[in-house]
Amino acid sequence: MTGANNFSVSGYGPERAGWTRLLARDSLARRLDWPILLSAVALSMIGSALVYSATRNRTEINQGDPYYFLIRHLMNTGIGFGLMIGTIWLGHRTLRTAVPILYGLSVFLILMVLTPLGATVNGAHAWIVLGGGFSLQPSEFVKITIILGMAMLLAARVDAGDKPYPDHRTVLQALGLAAVPIMIVLLMPDLGSVMVMVIIILGVLLASGASNRWVFGLIGAGALGAIAVWQLHILDEYQINRFAAFANPELDPAGVGYNTNQARIAIGSGGLFGTGLGHGSQTTGQFVPEQQTDFVFTVAGEELGFVGAGLILVLLGVILWRACRIARETTELYGTIVAAGIIAWFAFQSFENVGMTLGIMPVAGLPLPFVSYGGSSMFAVWVAVGLLQSIRVQRPMSA
């Protein structure tokens, strides 16, 4: 390391010393990406209000306490914020060295879901019940380990200066690393999470500089895999019904099409400024199922209107825009790949969640990042924010 204003960006050993010098000479607060941080906090606070409105009258699930889900959502946000701070403190490069441990732990947890310890929620056997009303969805954390693991493999020789881009063997190893947890999650079956993971892989490959033949090949393999899954009847009946309702919105409006029909009614009734928080007839009447989780955007559409729902989309857009800047400005391929994987994750999951409430995407049971109720999802997205902040904080000042 040379020069007063430089610190290591590629090695592992000098990182802690470089981190200490960085804090000594430059304010950490000034180096953070505040638009990302403030947007994530704003989304979580908006989510708190929406979750409260959706659950305050749901005595069958809130145990008679109108603040039950609100308090837990705020607790999840607080824990997630703490995980973000811990991730920044450790640094994305330190986590790079811990990828084998994190990967092994995540695979172990999703395997535990397939044992009697696993629980089924909304048709997906994807949860581990911890007791006391708490549960864990390990597939949320698999998204992070896939990003970190693939980035570690694809960037290793490029960041070391041995190769200009990942070779075919390295790409094959990275795809193999991702394939193991994806196959396990598919067995649950948790098709929504698998869709997100596949999009993450595409984003990672595009950012790595690998041959486009891998990207086109993966898209083709995905199409053939979807056909095979359908023809072999691997999907559960509830998943087939969701796709059928998406293909034909008028199909069985009181049955398989009920959720999406009621969601569109709720959003359409909000108008420009909404009916006011706590005053939505669809929400108060409990006509839309799972409004605190998968269909939380319908509460925004009905009670906050086009303006409030649009604000949520703007805040998500700010996070994606700033993440793109971080990916572009970092000086190491590893950081670029990690940021790109997070961008692909947030972008697709947000589009899928909002799209299914509008009827332009099939229902897939995916939460809206930072907004939907759920501890596992909240923890995972805040760790992702911590990774983005670490990439920005630990870049050279000249970048």
Side-chain angles (χ1 to χ4, degrees):
M1 182 172 5
T2 60
N5 293 324
N6 294 321
F7 60 99
S8 174
V9 297
S10 58
Y12 306 124
E15 179 182 351
R16 190 63 62 195
W19 175 252
T20 303
R21 283 192 290 273
L22 170 65
L23 293 179
R25 68 176 173 79
D26 188 32
S27 169
L28 174 61
R30 191 170 70 86
R31 294 178 65 93
L32 288 175
D33 193 297
W34 284 98
I36 287 182
L37 184 57
L38 294 177
S39 295
V41 170
L43 285 169
S44 296
M45 293 303 100
I46 293 173
S48 298
L50 300 179
V51 166
Y52 171 69
S53 181
T55 59
R56 62 193 179 94
N57 295 322
R58 299 287 300 274
T59 55
E60 75 279 8
I61 61 173
N62 66 17
Q63 302 184 13
D65 180 4
Y67 300 101
Y68 178 83
F69 283 94
L70 171 63
I71 292 173
R72 290 190 170 218
H73 186 84
L74 291 172
M75 287 176 55
N76 291 337
T77 301
I79 295 172
F81 195 86
L83 290 172
M84 178 201 69
I85 294 174
T87 302
I88 298 173
W89 180 78
L90 285 172
H92 64 291
R93 299 192 198 103
T94 298
L95 291 175
R96 181 179 189 170
T97 64
V99 162
I101 297 173
L102 297 175
Y103 180 80
L105 179 61
S106 65
V107 170
F108 171 77
L109 287 175
I110 55 176
L111 283 173
M112 293 296 290
V113 173
L114 301 179
T115 71
L117 294 176
T120 301
V121 179
N122 295 329
H125 193 77
W127 303 80
I128 299 175
V129 177
L130 303 177
F134 293 95
S135 57
L136 182 70
Q137 188 177 11
S139 57
E140 291 293 333
F141 304 104
V142 171
K143 299 169 187 175
I144 297 173
T145 54
I146 285 178
I147 292 171
L148 292 176
M150 292 189 71
M152 177 194 70
L153 290 173
L154 293 170
R157 300 186 69 178
V158 178
D159 283 341
D162 296 337
K163 287 185 175 292
Y165 49 81
D167 56 27
H168 294 312
R169 180 179 178 182
T170 302
V171 173
L172 193 60
Q173 290 173 341
L175 291 176
L177 177 143
V180 173
I182 287 178
M183 294 303 297
I184 298 173
V185 173
L186 190 60
L187 292 174
M188 293 179 181
D190 185 358
L191 189 59
S193 293
V194 171
M195 291 166 60
V196 176
M197 293 173 193
V198 170
I199 296 299
I200 286 173
I201 293 172
L202 286 174
V204 163
L205 289 180
L206 285 170
S208 71
S211 172
N212 288 334
R213 285 179 291 179
W214 285 104
V215 177
F216 293 128
L218 189 61
I219 294 173
L224 292 175
I227 295 173
V229 166
W230 185 270
Q231 293 295 326
L232 296 174
H233 305 289
I234 295 176
L235 296 179
D236 283 353
E237 183 178 359
Y238 82 95
Q239 293 173 318
I240 296 174
N241 289 339
R242 285 176 174 180
F243 282 103
F246 168 68
N248 181 10
E250 303 303 322
L251 176 67
D252 193 10
V256 297
Y258 178 81
N259 287 15
T260 53
N261 283 333
Q262 294 299 322
R264 288 195 293 270
I265 292 172
I267 293 176
S269 65
L272 184 60
F273 297 106
T275 59
L277 197 64
H279 296 287
S281 58
Q282 289 290 110
T283 301
T284 304
Q286 304 172 22
F287 292 108
V288 184
E290 306 299 332
Q291 271 195 297
Q292 73 275 18
T293 53
D294 299 346
F295 286 91
V296 71
F297 192 74
T298 63
V299 186
E302 181 180 27
E303 298 188 346
L304 303 181
F306 177 81
V307 172
L311 176 61
I312 291 175
L313 298 181
V314 168
L315 292 172
L316 288 168
V318 169
I319 293 175
L320 293 174
W321 162 56
R322 298 298 300 183
C324 287
R325 288 198 59 177
I326 290 172
R328 185 178 68 249
E329 294 174 355
T330 184
T331 57
E332 56 181 1
L333 181 60
Y334 173 70
T336 297
I337 294 176
V338 171
I342 294 170
I343 293 166
W345 166 15
F346 283 10
F348 177 78
Q349 190 160 313
S350 299
F351 179 76
E352 164 61 31
N353 179 276
V354 175
M356 73 182 186
T357 65
L358 299 176
I360 61 174
M361 291 293 285
V363 176
L366 293 172
L368 186 59
F370 303 101
V371 182
S372 293
Y373 174 80
S376 300
S377 172
M378 186 68 77
F379 302 158
V381 294
W382 276 106
V383 168
V385 169
L387 288 170
L388 290 173
Q389 297 288 5
S390 173
I391 295 168
R392 176 176 169 82
V393 164
Q394 298 189 30
R395 70 178 184 177
M397 286 296 292
S398 58

mmCIF file of all heavy atoms in Angstrom, residues 147-194:
data_model
loop_
_atom_site.group_PDB
_atom_site.id
_atom_site.type_symbol
_atom_site.label_atom_id
_atom_site.label_comp_id
_atom_site.label_asym_id
_atom_site.label_seq_id
_atom_site.Cartn_x
_atom_site.Cartn_y
_atom_site.Cartn_z
ATOM 1 N N ILE A 147 -25.192 -15.044 -4.060
ATOM 2 C CA ILE A 147 -24.511 -13.859 -4.574
ATOM 3 C C ILE A 147 -23.044 -13.847 -4.149
ATOM 4 O O ILE A 147 -22.137 -13.673 -4.976
ATOM 5 C CB ILE A 147 -25.218 -12.577 -4.092
ATOM 6 C CG1 ILE A 147 -26.606 -12.455 -4.738
ATOM 7 C CG2 ILE A 147 -24.378 -11.341 -4.405
ATOM 8 C CD1 ILE A 147 -27.447 -11.335 -4.156
ATOM 9 N N LEU A 148 -22.795 -14.039 -2.862
ATOM 10 C CA LEU A 148 -21.425 -13.992 -2.352
ATOM 11 C C LEU A 148 -20.582 -15.143 -2.906
ATOM 12 O O LEU A 148 -19.411 -14.955 -3.268
ATOM 13 C CB LEU A 148 -21.438 -14.041 -0.825
ATOM 14 C CG LEU A 148 -22.009 -12.818 -0.099
ATOM 15 C CD1 LEU A 148 -22.044 -13.061 1.408
ATOM 16 C CD2 LEU A 148 -21.186 -11.571 -0.404
ATOM 17 N N GLY A 149 -21.175 -16.351 -2.965
ATOM 18 C CA GLY A 149 -20.422 -17.508 -3.438
ATOM 19 C C GLY A 149 -20.046 -17.403 -4.906
ATOM 20 O O GLY A 149 -18.896 -17.662 -5.286
ATOM 21 N N MET A 150 -21.012 -17.022 -5.739
ATOM 22 C CA MET A 150 -20.709 -16.875 -7.157
ATOM 23 C C MET A 150 -19.718 -15.732 -7.392
ATOM 24 O O MET A 150 -18.819 -15.853 -8.239
ATOM 25 C CB MET A 150 -21.993 -16.631 -7.937
ATOM 26 C CG MET A 150 -22.942 -17.823 -7.976
ATOM 27 S SD MET A 150 -24.329 -17.579 -9.119
ATOM 28 C CE MET A 150 -23.486 -17.677 -10.721
ATOM 29 N N ALA A 151 -19.868 -14.644 -6.650
ATOM 30 C CA ALA A 151 -18.938 -13.521 -6.791
ATOM 31 C C ALA A 151 -17.525 -13.932 -6.411
ATOM 32 O O ALA A 151 -16.553 -13.551 -7.073
ATOM 33 C CB ALA A 151 -19.404 -12.349 -5.933
ATOM 34 N N MET A 152 -17.393 -14.713 -5.339
ATOM 35 C CA MET A 152 -16.073 -15.167 -4.900
ATOM 36 C C MET A 152 -15.391 -15.976 -5.998
ATOM 37 O O MET A 152 -14.206 -15.760 -6.307
ATOM 38 C CB MET A 152 -16.225 -16.017 -3.642
ATOM 39 C CG MET A 152 -14.911 -16.603 -3.123
ATOM 40 S SD MET A 152 -15.154 -17.907 -1.889
ATOM 41 C CE MET A 152 -15.839 -19.219 -2.906
ATOM 42 N N LEU A 153 -16.124 -16.904 -6.616
ATOM 43 C CA LEU A 153 -15.531 -17.753 -7.644
ATOM 44 C C LEU A 153 -15.239 -16.984 -8.929
ATOM 45 O O LEU A 153 -14.155 -17.088 -9.508
ATOM 46 C CB LEU A 153 -16.479 -18.925 -7.951
ATOM 47 C CG LEU A 153 -16.635 -19.976 -6.852
ATOM 48 C CD1 LEU A 153 -17.722 -20.978 -7.230
ATOM 49 C CD2 LEU A 153 -15.318 -20.703 -6.592
ATOM 50 N N LEU A 154 -16.200 -16.196 -9.381
ATOM 51 C CA LEU A 154 -16.072 -15.521 -10.675
ATOM 52 C C LEU A 154 -15.022 -14.412 -10.659
ATOM 53 O O LEU A 154 -14.409 -14.113 -11.688
ATOM 54 C CB LEU A 154 -17.427 -14.950 -11.098
ATOM 55 C CG LEU A 154 -18.516 -15.980 -11.419
ATOM 56 C CD1 LEU A 154 -19.861 -15.296 -11.587
ATOM 57 C CD2 LEU A 154 -18.163 -16.767 -12.674
ATOM 58 N N ALA A 155 -14.821 -13.797 -9.483
ATOM 59 C CA ALA A 155 -13.910 -12.645 -9.416
ATOM 60 C C ALA A 155 -12.507 -13.005 -8.959
ATOM 61 O O ALA A 155 -11.601 -12.168 -9.061
ATOM 62 C CB ALA A 155 -14.491 -11.586 -8.478
ATOM 63 N N ALA A 156 -12.304 -14.223 -8.466
ATOM 64 C CA ALA A 156 -11.025 -14.566 -7.837
ATOM 65 C C ALA A 156 -9.828 -14.300 -8.745
ATOM 66 O O ALA A 156 -8.906 -13.547 -8.404
ATOM 67 C CB ALA A 156 -11.053 -16.025 -7.379
ATOM 68 N N ARG A 157 -9.815 -14.891 -9.935
ATOM 69 C CA ARG A 157 -8.649 -14.782 -10.806
ATOM 70 C C ARG A 157 -8.619 -13.441 -11.538
ATOM 71 O O ARG A 157 -7.556 -12.965 -11.924
ATOM 72 C CB ARG A 157 -8.646 -15.937 -11.805
ATOM 73 C CG ARG A 157 -8.592 -17.311 -11.132
ATOM 74 C CD ARG A 157 -8.433 -18.439 -12.124
ATOM 75 N NE ARG A 157 -7.105 -18.419 -12.738
ATOM 76 C CZ ARG A 157 -6.689 -19.328 -13.619
ATOM 77 N NH1 ARG A 157 -7.519 -20.310 -13.991
ATOM 78 N NH2 ARG A 157 -5.481 -19.250 -14.135
ATOM 79 N N VAL A 158 -9.800 -12.832 -11.713
ATOM 80 C CA VAL A 158 -9.836 -11.514 -12.369
ATOM 81 C C VAL A 158 -9.263 -10.447 -11.449
ATOM 82 O O VAL A 158 -8.417 -9.635 -11.858
ATOM 83 C CB VAL A 158 -11.278 -11.152 -12.781
ATOM 84 C CG1 VAL A 158 -11.317 -9.760 -13.408
ATOM 85 C CG2 VAL A 158 -11.830 -12.192 -13.754
ATOM 86 N N ASP A 159 -9.707 -10.424 -10.180
ATOM 87 C CA ASP A 159 -9.182 -9.440 -9.234
ATOM 88 C C ASP A 159 -7.707 -9.660 -8.945
ATOM 89 O O ASP A 159 -6.973 -8.725 -8.605
ATOM 90 C CB ASP A 159 -9.991 -9.485 -7.925
ATOM 91 C CG ASP A 159 -11.344 -8.794 -8.050
ATOM 92 O OD1 ASP A 159 -11.511 -7.984 -8.980
ATOM 93 O OD2 ASP A 159 -12.230 -9.067 -7.217
ATOM 94 N N ALA A 160 -7.252 -10.920 -9.060
ATOM 95 C CA ALA A 160 -5.824 -11.209 -8.857
ATOM 96 C C ALA A 160 -4.989 -10.811 -10.064
ATOM 97 O O ALA A 160 -3.763 -10.825 -9.995
ATOM 98 C CB ALA A 160 -5.639 -12.689 -8.542
ATOM 99 N N GLY A 161 -5.619 -10.476 -11.177
ATOM 100 C CA GLY A 161 -4.894 -10.070 -12.376
ATOM 101 C C GLY A 161 -4.486 -11.210 -13.275
ATOM 102 O O GLY A 161 -3.753 -11.000 -14.252
ATOM 103 N N ASP A 162 -4.947 -12.444 -12.988
ATOM 104 C CA ASP A 162 -4.553 -13.598 -13.787
ATOM 105 C C ASP A 162 -5.322 -13.693 -15.103
ATOM 106 O O ASP A 162 -4.812 -14.213 -16.098
ATOM 107 C CB ASP A 162 -4.766 -14.891 -12.991
ATOM 108 C CG ASP A 162 -3.867 -14.952 -11.770
ATOM 109 O OD1 ASP A 162 -2.827 -14.273 -11.780
ATOM 110 O OD2 ASP A 162 -4.208 -15.676 -10.816
ATOM 111 N N LYS A 163 -6.584 -13.234 -15.084
ATOM 112 C CA LYS A 163 -7.419 -13.326 -16.272
ATOM 113 C C LYS A 163 -8.243 -12.052 -16.430
ATOM 114 O O LYS A 163 -8.595 -11.414 -15.435
ATOM 115 C CB LYS A 163 -8.356 -14.545 -16.198
ATOM 116 C CG LYS A 163 -7.652 -15.892 -16.397
ATOM 117 C CD LYS A 163 -8.641 -17.025 -16.434
ATOM 118 C CE LYS A 163 -7.925 -18.330 -16.760
ATOM 119 N NZ LYS A 163 -7.413 -18.348 -18.142
ATOM 120 N N PRO A 164 -8.616 -11.684 -17.665
ATOM 121 C CA PRO A 164 -9.421 -10.479 -17.863
ATOM 122 C C PRO A 164 -10.898 -10.695 -17.561
ATOM 123 O O PRO A 164 -11.638 -9.743 -17.319
ATOM 124 C CB PRO A 164 -9.202 -10.153 -19.344
ATOM 125 C CG PRO A 164 -8.898 -11.474 -19.973
ATOM 126 C CD PRO A 164 -8.153 -12.263 -18.941
ATOM 127 N N TYR A 165 -11.346 -11.954 -17.615
ATOM 128 C CA TYR A 165 -12.746 -12.286 -17.341
ATOM 129 C C TYR A 165 -12.822 -13.759 -16.947
ATOM 130 O O TYR A 165 -11.894 -14.535 -17.216
ATOM 131 C CB TYR A 165 -13.626 -12.012 -18.561
ATOM 132 C CG TYR A 165 -13.104 -12.584 -19.850
ATOM 133 C CD1 TYR A 165 -13.304 -13.921 -20.183
ATOM 134 C CD2 TYR A 165 -12.391 -11.785 -20.745
ATOM 135 C CE1 TYR A 165 -12.814 -14.452 -21.357
ATOM 136 C CE2 TYR A 165 -11.894 -12.314 -21.930
ATOM 137 C CZ TYR A 165 -12.109 -13.642 -22.228
ATOM 138 O OH TYR A 165 -11.623 -14.168 -23.393
ATOM 139 N N PRO A 166 -13.890 -14.195 -16.309
ATOM 140 C CA PRO A 166 -13.984 -15.592 -15.867
ATOM 141 C C PRO A 166 -13.996 -16.559 -17.051
ATOM 142 O O PRO A 166 -14.667 -16.308 -18.057
ATOM 143 C CB PRO A 166 -15.325 -15.641 -15.111
ATOM 144 C CG PRO A 166 -15.645 -14.216 -14.772
ATOM 145 C CD PRO A 166 -15.051 -13.393 -15.871
ATOM 146 N N ASP A 167 -13.259 -17.656 -16.928
ATOM 147 C CA ASP A 167 -13.251 -18.652 -17.998
ATOM 148 C C ASP A 167 -14.437 -19.604 -17.829
ATOM 149 O O ASP A 167 -15.184 -19.554 -16.855
ATOM 150 C CB ASP A 167 -11.924 -19.417 -18.023
ATOM 151 C CG ASP A 167 -11.606 -20.078 -16.690
ATOM 152 O OD1 ASP A 167 -12.546 -20.395 -15.927
ATOM 153 O OD2 ASP A 167 -10.406 -20.273 -16.402
ATOM 154 N N HIS A 168 -14.606 -20.502 -18.794
ATOM 155 C CA HIS A 168 -15.760 -21.401 -18.800
ATOM 156 C C HIS A 168 -15.768 -22.331 -17.585
ATOM 157 O O HIS A 168 -16.833 -22.621 -17.024
ATOM 158 C CB HIS A 168 -15.786 -22.223 -20.090
ATOM 159 C CG HIS A 168 -16.010 -21.394 -21.318
ATOM 160 N ND1 HIS A 168 -17.011 -20.445 -21.392
ATOM 161 C CD2 HIS A 168 -15.377 -21.376 -22.520
ATOM 162 C CE1 HIS A 168 -16.992 -19.871 -22.590
ATOM 163 N NE2 HIS A 168 -15.993 -20.411 -23.289
ATOM 164 N N ARG A 169 -14.605 -22.784 -17.193
ATOM 165 C CA ARG A 169 -14.541 -23.687 -16.037
ATOM 166 C C ARG A 169 -15.010 -22.982 -14.766
ATOM 167 O O ARG A 169 -15.753 -23.561 -13.962
ATOM 168 C CB ARG A 169 -13.109 -24.186 -15.861
ATOM 169 C CG ARG A 169 -12.931 -25.129 -14.686
ATOM 170 C CD ARG A 169 -11.500 -25.610 -14.566
ATOM 171 N NE ARG A 169 -11.320 -26.483 -13.423
ATOM 172 C CZ ARG A 169 -10.161 -27.011 -13.062
ATOM 173 N NH1 ARG A 169 -9.060 -26.751 -13.774
ATOM 174 N NH2 ARG A 169 -10.082 -27.800 -12.011
ATOM 175 N N THR A 170 -14.596 -21.739 -14.595
ATOM 176 C CA THR A 170 -14.998 -20.979 -13.414
ATOM 177 C C THR A 170 -16.503 -20.728 -13.401
ATOM 178 O O THR A 170 -17.158 -20.842 -12.366
ATOM 179 C CB THR A 170 -14.250 -19.633 -13.368
ATOM 180 O OG1 THR A 170 -12.840 -19.871 -13.365
ATOM 181 C CG2 THR A 170 -14.625 -18.854 -12.117
ATOM 182 N N VAL A 171 -17.048 -20.395 -14.560
ATOM 183 C CA VAL A 171 -18.496 -20.170 -14.656
ATOM 184 C C VAL A 171 -19.246 -21.448 -14.310
ATOM 185 O O VAL A 171 -20.258 -21.426 -13.591
ATOM 186 C CB VAL A 171 -18.881 -19.687 -16.066
ATOM 187 C CG1 VAL A 171 -20.402 -19.613 -16.210
ATOM 188 C CG2 VAL A 171 -18.257 -18.331 -16.351
ATOM 189 N N LEU A 172 -18.766 -22.576 -14.795
ATOM 190 C CA LEU A 172 -19.419 -23.851 -14.508
ATOM 191 C C LEU A 172 -19.381 -24.154 -13.014
ATOM 192 O O LEU A 172 -20.369 -24.651 -12.435
ATOM 193 C CB LEU A 172 -18.733 -24.963 -15.298
ATOM 194 C CG LEU A 172 -19.470 -26.310 -15.361
ATOM 195 C CD1 LEU A 172 -20.826 -26.136 -16.020
ATOM 196 C CD2 LEU A 172 -18.637 -27.334 -16.110
ATOM 197 N N GLN A 173 -18.268 -23.842 -12.355
ATOM 198 C CA GLN A 173 -18.177 -24.052 -10.911
ATOM 199 C C GLN A 173 -19.174 -23.153 -10.166
ATOM 200 O O GLN A 173 -19.830 -23.600 -9.210
ATOM 201 C CB GLN A 173 -16.751 -23.750 -10.442
ATOM 202 C CG GLN A 173 -15.714 -24.762 -10.896
ATOM 203 C CD GLN A 173 -14.295 -24.329 -10.545
ATOM 204 O OE1 GLN A 173 -14.035 -23.149 -10.290
ATOM 205 N NE2 GLN A 173 -13.363 -25.273 -10.542
ATOM 206 N N ALA A 174 -19.291 -21.906 -10.613
ATOM 207 C CA ALA A 174 -20.218 -20.978 -9.965
ATOM 208 C C ALA A 174 -21.662 -21.433 -10.137
ATOM 209 O O ALA A 174 -22.469 -21.348 -9.204
ATOM 210 C CB ALA A 174 -20.030 -19.573 -10.545
ATOM 211 N N LEU A 175 -21.996 -21.918 -11.329
ATOM 212 C CA LEU A 175 -23.351 -22.412 -11.562
ATOM 213 C C LEU A 175 -23.636 -23.658 -10.726
ATOM 214 O O LEU A 175 -24.749 -23.841 -10.219
ATOM 215 C CB LEU A 175 -23.552 -22.721 -13.043
ATOM 216 C CG LEU A 175 -23.581 -21.510 -13.979
ATOM 217 C CD1 LEU A 175 -23.683 -21.968 -15.430
ATOM 218 C CD2 LEU A 175 -24.744 -20.586 -13.644
ATOM 219 N N GLY A 176 -22.635 -24.504 -10.565
ATOM 220 C CA GLY A 176 -22.801 -25.683 -9.720
ATOM 221 C C GLY A 176 -23.042 -25.307 -8.270
ATOM 222 O O GLY A 176 -23.866 -25.922 -7.578
ATOM 223 N N LEU A 177 -22.319 -24.284 -7.805
ATOM 224 C CA LEU A 177 -22.509 -23.806 -6.439
ATOM 225 C C LEU A 177 -23.945 -23.331 -6.226
ATOM 226 O O LEU A 177 -24.560 -23.606 -5.189
ATOM 227 C CB LEU A 177 -21.517 -22.675 -6.147
ATOM 228 C CG LEU A 177 -21.598 -21.988 -4.788
ATOM 229 C CD1 LEU A 177 -20.200 -21.630 -4.291
ATOM 230 C CD2 LEU A 177 -22.440 -20.713 -4.857
ATOM 231 N N ALA A 178 -24.500 -22.615 -7.201
ATOM 232 C CA ALA A 178 -25.850 -22.094 -7.075
ATOM 233 C C ALA A 178 -26.907 -23.181 -7.254
ATOM 234 O O ALA A 178 -27.998 -23.094 -6.674
ATOM 235 C CB ALA A 178 -26.083 -20.980 -8.087
ATOM 236 N N ALA A 179 -26.599 -24.192 -8.047
ATOM 237 C CA ALA A 179 -27.595 -25.212 -8.378
ATOM 238 C C ALA A 179 -28.004 -26.049 -7.171
ATOM 239 O O ALA A 179 -29.170 -26.458 -7.069
ATOM 240 C CB ALA A 179 -27.058 -26.123 -9.481
ATOM 241 N N VAL A 180 -27.083 -26.302 -6.256
ATOM 242 C CA VAL A 180 -27.381 -27.173 -5.113
ATOM 243 C C VAL A 180 -28.519 -26.610 -4.251
ATOM 244 O O VAL A 180 -29.540 -27.289 -4.044
ATOM 245 C CB VAL A 180 -26.115 -27.421 -4.272
ATOM 246 C CG1 VAL A 180 -26.463 -28.179 -2.996
ATOM 247 C CG2 VAL A 180 -25.078 -28.184 -5.076
ATOM 248 N N PRO A 181 -28.407 -25.376 -3.726
ATOM 249 C CA PRO A 181 -29.522 -24.857 -2.926
ATOM 250 C C PRO A 181 -30.796 -24.645 -3.737
ATOM 251 O O PRO A 181 -31.904 -24.795 -3.203
ATOM 252 C CB PRO A 181 -28.984 -23.534 -2.375
ATOM 253 C CG PRO A 181 -27.871 -23.149 -3.283
ATOM 254 C CD PRO A 181 -27.283 -24.426 -3.760
ATOM 255 N N ILE A 182 -30.670 -24.290 -5.009
ATOM 256 C CA ILE A 182 -31.864 -24.075 -5.833
ATOM 257 C C ILE A 182 -32.661 -25.371 -5.967
ATOM 258 O O ILE A 182 -33.896 -25.367 -5.862
ATOM 259 C CB ILE A 182 -31.474 -23.524 -7.218
ATOM 260 C CG1 ILE A 182 -31.037 -22.063 -7.096
ATOM 261 C CG2 ILE A 182 -32.634 -23.642 -8.198
ATOM 262 C CD1 ILE A 182 -30.580 -21.439 -8.390
ATOM 263 N N MET A 183 -31.998 -26.496 -6.175
ATOM 264 C CA MET A 183 -32.695 -27.772 -6.301
ATOM 265 C C MET A 183 -33.396 -28.140 -4.995
ATOM 266 O O MET A 183 -34.506 -28.678 -5.003
ATOM 267 C CB MET A 183 -31.712 -28.878 -6.709
ATOM 268 C CG MET A 183 -31.129 -28.702 -8.101
ATOM 269 S SD MET A 183 -32.402 -28.609 -9.390
ATOM 270 C CE MET A 183 -33.141 -30.233 -9.230
ATOM 271 N N ILE A 184 -32.764 -27.825 -3.874
ATOM 272 C CA ILE A 184 -33.388 -28.131 -2.580
ATOM 273 C C ILE A 184 -34.620 -27.261 -2.369
ATOM 274 O O ILE A 184 -35.676 -27.739 -1.933
ATOM 275 C CB ILE A 184 -32.373 -27.924 -1.435
ATOM 276 C CG1 ILE A 184 -31.182 -28.874 -1.587
ATOM 277 C CG2 ILE A 184 -33.051 -28.169 -0.082
ATOM 278 C CD1 ILE A 184 -30.057 -28.613 -0.602
ATOM 279 N N VAL A 185 -34.506 -25.967 -2.690
ATOM 280 C CA VAL A 185 -35.644 -25.057 -2.536
ATOM 281 C C VAL A 185 -36.783 -25.467 -3.465
ATOM 282 O O VAL A 185 -37.968 -25.358 -3.107
ATOM 283 C CB VAL A 185 -35.213 -23.601 -2.810
ATOM 284 C CG1 VAL A 185 -36.415 -22.669 -2.820
ATOM 285 C CG2 VAL A 185 -34.202 -23.145 -1.764
ATOM 286 N N LEU A 186 -36.457 -25.977 -4.647
ATOM 287 C CA LEU A 186 -37.488 -26.418 -5.591
ATOM 288 C C LEU A 186 -38.265 -27.611 -5.043
ATOM 289 O O LEU A 186 -39.445 -27.784 -5.356
ATOM 290 C CB LEU A 186 -36.843 -26.775 -6.927
ATOM 291 C CG LEU A 186 -37.783 -27.031 -8.105
ATOM 292 C CD1 LEU A 186 -38.634 -25.790 -8.388
ATOM 293 C CD2 LEU A 186 -36.987 -27.408 -9.344
ATOM 294 N N LEU A 187 -37.610 -28.417 -4.197
ATOM 295 C CA LEU A 187 -38.281 -29.571 -3.612
ATOM 296 C C LEU A 187 -39.293 -29.182 -2.546
ATOM 297 O O LEU A 187 -40.142 -29.995 -2.181
ATOM 298 C CB LEU A 187 -37.236 -30.526 -3.000
ATOM 299 C CG LEU A 187 -36.306 -31.256 -3.977
ATOM 300 C CD1 LEU A 187 -35.259 -32.037 -3.200
ATOM 301 C CD2 LEU A 187 -37.099 -32.171 -4.889
ATOM 302 N N MET A 188 -39.254 -27.953 -2.042
ATOM 303 C CA MET A 188 -40.110 -27.575 -0.910
ATOM 304 C C MET A 188 -41.609 -27.628 -1.207
ATOM 305 O O MET A 188 -42.333 -28.088 -0.296
ATOM 306 C CB MET A 188 -39.671 -26.211 -0.386
ATOM 307 C CG MET A 188 -38.288 -26.236 0.237
ATOM 308 S SD MET A 188 -37.812 -24.580 0.798
ATOM 309 C CE MET A 188 -36.174 -24.937 1.446
ATOM 310 N N PRO A 189 -42.199 -27.188 -2.285
ATOM 311 C CA PRO A 189 -41.620 -26.370 -3.353
ATOM 312 C C PRO A 189 -41.854 -24.883 -3.065
ATOM 313 O O PRO A 189 -42.919 -24.489 -2.604
ATOM 314 C CB PRO A 189 -42.444 -26.797 -4.570
ATOM 315 C CG PRO A 189 -43.796 -27.120 -3.997
ATOM 316 C CD PRO A 189 -43.575 -27.592 -2.589
ATOM 317 N N ASP A 190 -40.823 -24.077 -3.346
ATOM 318 C CA ASP A 190 -40.925 -22.628 -3.183
ATOM 319 C C ASP A 190 -40.521 -22.010 -4.518
ATOM 320 O O ASP A 190 -39.399 -21.543 -4.702
ATOM 321 C CB ASP A 190 -40.007 -22.158 -2.051
ATOM 322 C CG ASP A 190 -40.159 -20.674 -1.744
ATOM 323 O OD1 ASP A 190 -40.950 -20.010 -2.449
ATOM 324 O OD2 ASP A 190 -39.485 -20.192 -0.814
ATOM 325 N N LEU A 191 -41.456 -22.037 -5.454
ATOM 326 C CA LEU A 191 -41.160 -21.616 -6.822
ATOM 327 C C LEU A 191 -40.799 -20.142 -6.906
ATOM 328 O O LEU A 191 -39.947 -19.744 -7.709
ATOM 329 C CB LEU A 191 -42.361 -21.912 -7.722
ATOM 330 C CG LEU A 191 -42.152 -21.741 -9.225
ATOM 331 C CD1 LEU A 191 -41.032 -22.637 -9.727
ATOM 332 C CD2 LEU A 191 -43.448 -22.011 -9.983
ATOM 333 N N GLY A 192 -41.426 -19.302 -6.067
ATOM 334 C CA GLY A 192 -41.129 -17.871 -6.086
ATOM 335 C C GLY A 192 -39.676 -17.591 -5.774
ATOM 336 O O GLY A 192 -39.011 -16.809 -6.473
ATOM 337 N N SER A 193 -39.150 -18.232 -4.725
ATOM 338 C CA SER A 193 -37.748 -18.030 -4.362
ATOM 339 C C SER A 193 -36.817 -18.545 -5.449
ATOM 340 O O SER A 193 -35.773 -17.940 -5.720
ATOM 341 C CB SER A 193 -37.437 -18.731 -3.033
ATOM 342 O OG SER A 193 -38.128 -18.123 -1.960
ATOM 343 N N VAL A 194 -37.187 -19.661 -6.085
ATOM 344 C CA VAL A 194 -36.366 -20.191 -7.180
ATOM 345 C C VAL A 194 -36.299 -19.193 -8.328
ATOM 346 O O VAL A 194 -35.227 -18.977 -8.918
ATOM 347 C CB VAL A 194 -36.928 -21.546 -7.664
ATOM 348 C CG1 VAL A 194 -36.224 -21.992 -8.950
ATOM 349 C CG2 VAL A 194 -36.752 -22.614 -6.591
#
